[in-house]
Structures are given as structure tokens and as C-alpha cells.
Amino acid sequence: MSAVLTAPACTGELPEKRSLPVVPLLLGAVALGYILLFLLLPLFMVFYGGLSKGLAFYWEAIQEPDALSAIYLTLTAAAISVPLNLVFGVAAAWAIAKFDFRGKALLVTLIDLPFAVSPVISGLIYALVFGLQGWFGQSLAEHDVSVLFAVPGIVLATVFVTFPFVARELIPLMQAQGREEEEAAASLGAGAWQILWRVTLPNVKWGLLYGVILSNARAMGEFGAVSVVSGHISGMTNTLPLHIEILYNEYNFAGAFACASLLALLALVTLVVKTVIETRYLKEGRS
């Protein structure tokens, strides 16, 4: 016996449109509500609180000498720590992604260490090392060198909490690219520095910028580690987050929110730049 296969008759009717699933809509509504409640509302309250007493008070709060000193110290710590982390991040990512050596897994683990260790603990480590009762405290005091309760301690703490960002952005990008282009350049006689500047870095430039932006944002907003090593000396060792805490503890809420709005503006600028970089990176990936 033979079976005859017949195709279903064509009725000429279009298939019915399926209604949108309920679950994605519910998940989207939950996500939107979460963002509004825990992100946009606090951000709005920061600016609202800073401007609650008018523009004159707002301008006076951020022009106060202690506030200007805190802003300057915050910018100084970021200006020193971010370039240091840039150099370290590029070197570490290049070594891990392009070369095989003993201890590579240990180096990757150490890079991730600040993500696992509390910033307060990292500040305490510097206090134990450079404090008067620490390993180098007496020697530093004899040479009149101040690390704790001074700018060097703040920079060291900032470097510690921010150094993974550049390296962690570059390592997967360099690993995904492989070694073919570098090996081809080397076969044509290019040196190590020429390969780095003309082959490796141009291919990861957007990831590099992204890592620098994240590192800079974390450096300016760091509180825990800097709080331990700074000593909270007004006008001298207080960064902007520490100055905001002091104003809040003194019940100067409008002044605290005014200074906090500067950090909020930094976050918004960081978000815009991040979006632009991601857009450019996706466009280049598609072309």
C-alpha cells in the first residue's frame, strides 16, 4: 500500500496575530518600577534637596572653603590614581591575554581582590602598614613623611579600590582578538612597543576608555577606604564624599545635598559617556 501525502488546503486567510505575552510585560513593569523607586527617585531627591533653599544657598554651599578643598582633593586623588591604573591595567591585560607564564591564574585572582575585599578592610590594611604602630610607621615618622591622614594615603586607598576596572575591561577583549595580528606584525619586524601602540591598543580603544571612565567614577565616589586613612580633617583630608557625610551629620541637609548633587552630576555624565562609547563600539563591530 502506498500513502499519499497531501498538503493542507490554502484558505487564503492570514494567521491570527498572537497577543503579547503577559510575563514579559509584567517583568518590564517590575523593572521600570524598580528603577523609578530606587534610582530615579533618589536622584531627584538629591537635586531637590540641594536646591530646596534656592540657587544662592546652593552656590554658597559648593563655594565654601571646606567644600572647595574637598572637591580639589577628590579631583587630585582621581587625577593620580586613574593614570596609574591605566598603565597597570594595560600592562596586566596585555600580559594575561597575550602571553603564557607561571602565576597567570594568581595574577588574575589578585586583580579581582578589591571586588572581594571590603573597602573599609583595605583602608585598615593601610593603617596597619603605615600607621605609627605599623610596619613602616616609625621609619616614616623619623623621616617626617606622612602617609596616613594625608594625600598619599588617600591616593593609595583610591588606587587599591579602582585598579581592577581597566584591566577587567581589557582582558576579555584582548583574549577574544587572539594573537594572529600581533604575530603577523612581529613577523614583519615590528617591535613589542610598536605592536602594542599600533595593533593591540587601537583594537581595544573603546574598552580602554570605558574602563578609565568606570575607574574615574569610582575614584571620585569612594568612601569606605578613604574614610579610614583620611582622618576626617576638615579642609585638609576630606574628600567630597567625606565632606557630604560631615554636613549631613551636622544636620546641614541642604548643604549636604548640594555637594552630593555634584557627585550625581558626575554619575550622569559617566552614564552618557558610557552610552556613547558603547554605541560607537557596537557600530564599529558591525562595520
Side-chain angles (χ1 to χ4, degrees), residues 203-222:
N203 288 333
V204 297
K205 58 183 178 181
W206 298 118
L208 180 63
L209 288 175
Y210 185 49
V212 168
I213 290 171
L214 292 179
S215 180
N216 182 71
R218 178 63 188 274
M220 291 190 177
E222 174 55 30

Side-chain angles (χ1 to χ4, degrees), residues 73 76-77 80 126 130 140 144-158 225-233 235-239 242:
L73 182 56
T76 300
I80 297 174
Y126 284 113
F130 298 107
L140 292 172
D144 196 24
V145 176
S146 298
V147 175
L148 290 183
F149 311 148
V151 175
I154 294 173
V155 172
L156 286 174
T158 305
V226 173
S227 177
V228 175
V229 302
S230 69
H232 290 269
I233 305 174
M236 296 182 62
T237 62
N238 273 342
T239 59
L242 300 182

Side-chain angles (χ1 to χ4, degrees), residues 28-45:
V30 171
L32 180 59
Y34 193 90
I35 291 173
L36 291 174
L37 182 61
F38 294 103
L39 180 61
L40 296 182
L41 181 60
L43 187 63
F44 170 78
M45 293 305 299

